Amino acid sequence: DVKVTQSSRYLVKRTGEKVFLECVQDMDHENMFWYRQDPGLGLRLIYFSYDVKMKEKGDIPEGYSVSREKKERFSLILESASTNQTSMYLCATQSSENIQYFGAGTRLSVL
Amino acid sequence: QKEVEQNSGPLSVPEGAIASLNCTYSDRVSQSFFWYRQYSGKSPELIMSIYSNGDKEDGRFTAQLNKASQYVSLLIRDSQPSDSATYLCAPSSGNTPLVFGKGTRLSVIA
């Protein structure tokens, strides 16, 4: 079974804090993704990576950065958290058959 | 811009009925099609994939694909209250990120 683990289920941070969301997968997939999901807006792609040290901007990269130092780990960074970044964040990997597998999600609240 | 359109719902069906969920997509080169189910507060999970025109059945679920019409659907037979969830459609064209529809919320009434 594919396992995608996100470090936190719930997180509360203050405006201006630097926030790290970690994602680890155990299936040796090349491709990893970060999404945010808000009511009525669906899944929106923030960043993705097809290889170690490689990153590509998705549809809404502003205010975020990512790091992929190892194949199994893909981190999302909020450099200076703002209230409009309160959301559910989902990490996913993608198999060679283009099937995406999601982590449990991190519900982030920025106060 | 690749677009995936789904009726947001809610689609309400009585228990035991057939639920029909529809999806249209704009990218003509899409080759693989996925249906994900997402329960409230949970992450999406894959329930069906289809790669060629026609029907594909898996238990109570049937996926239907018509590439000429750029249309894919999901039928759920003998709907159960446990099927109440949001269903996301996701076409795929090669090694590019999936484009997800916003989902259709299904409510099965006991």
Side-chain angles (χ1 to χ4, degrees), chain B residues 73-108:
Chain B
S73 66
L74 179 70
L75 300 179
I76 306 175
R77 288 183 301 282
D78 188 24
S79 295
Q80 301 297 309
S82 58
D83 295 325
S84 298
T86 297
Y87 290 81
L88 307 174
C89 168
S92 171
S93 51
N95 191 27
T96 57
L98 296 184
V99 179
F100 287 88
K102 291 182 180 178
T104 297
R105 188 154 58 93
L106 173 66
S107 178
V108 181

Side-chain angles (χ1 to χ4, degrees), chain A residues 12-106:
Chain A
V12 179
K13 295 292 182 181
R14 296 207 176 275
T15 303
E17 279 192 79
K18 190 169 186 176
V19 182
F20 293 87
L21 302 182
E22 306 285 346
C23 177
V24 177
Q25 52 115 348
D26 67 354
M27 281 303 292
D28 203 36
H29 289 165
E30 303 284 347
N31 305 341
M32 297 187 74
F33 304 83
W34 275 106
Y35 296 90
R36 64 177 284 176
Q37 188 174 35
D38 303 285
L41 298 179
L43 283 166
R44 292 185 289 167
L45 182 62
I46 304 171
Y47 267 98
F48 59 102
S49 169
Y50 286 153
D51 203 352
V52 175
K53 296 194 185 295
M54 176 264 179
K55 61 184 179 183
E56 294 283 349
K57 292 181 180 179
D59 300 318
I60 52 163
E62 297 79 18
Y64 303 94
S65 62
V66 290
S67 171
R68 188 141 182 227
E69 296 295 321
K70 294 184 177 181
K71 189 175 186 179
E72 68 270 19
R73 186 181 296 270
F74 191 35
S75 303
L76 180 69
I77 304 156
L78 286 66
E79 296 288 343
S80 178
S82 63
T83 54
N84 63 12
Q85 293 178 309
T86 291
S87 186
M88 168 71 95
Y89 289 87
L90 290 160
C91 173
T93 70
Q94 186 164 307
S95 70
S96 56
E97 295 81 26
N98 291 337
I99 297 171
Q100 285 199 0
Y101 299 89
F102 289 84
T106 296

